[in-house]
Amino acid sequence: VPEANLNHFRDWKGGYSWTVLGVCGFDALFHWVQTGWEGSAHDGTVYKDALQTGFNVTAGKYYLGDAGFGLDKYVLVPYRGVRYHLKEWARGQR
């Protein structure tokens, strides 16, 4: 990043970062990568830009996103306020 644009890439921790959207399939390959966004860019903004620049979702398929994504017909996000812990799942009945 050029030094003149460095402040645009400052993240909420005070460092510098990029926001990247990476989409992987069950074949463990990247199917789409969207880069170049400032570290402070919202996940939903990067996703919206990907949709406008050629990314599409196959009918009947969904992607898992973190809580930074808004609710969308193709992105499944966790319920807000619910903490998911694998160690708690391991204690449950199978």
Side-chain angles (χ1 to χ4, degrees), residues 6 22 25 28 35 63:
L6 205 53
T35 64
Y63 289 100

Side-chain angles (χ1 to χ4, degrees), residues 21 42-45 47 61-84 89:
L21 171 67
H42 192 276
D43 292 344
T45 303
Y47 172 67
K61 302 293 182 182
Y62 303 92
Y63 289 100
L64 298 175
D66 63 16
F69 288 89
L71 203 54
D72 184 87
K73 61 183 177 179
Y74 299 116
V75 179
L76 301 173
V77 296
Y79 288 111
R80 293 199 183 275
V82 176
R83 297 183 65 112
Y84 297 92
W89 290 0

Side-chain angles (χ1 to χ4, degrees), residues 7 9-10 22 63 70 91:
N7 282 334
F9 290 85
R10 187 176 297 274
Y63 289 100
R91 289 184 280 179

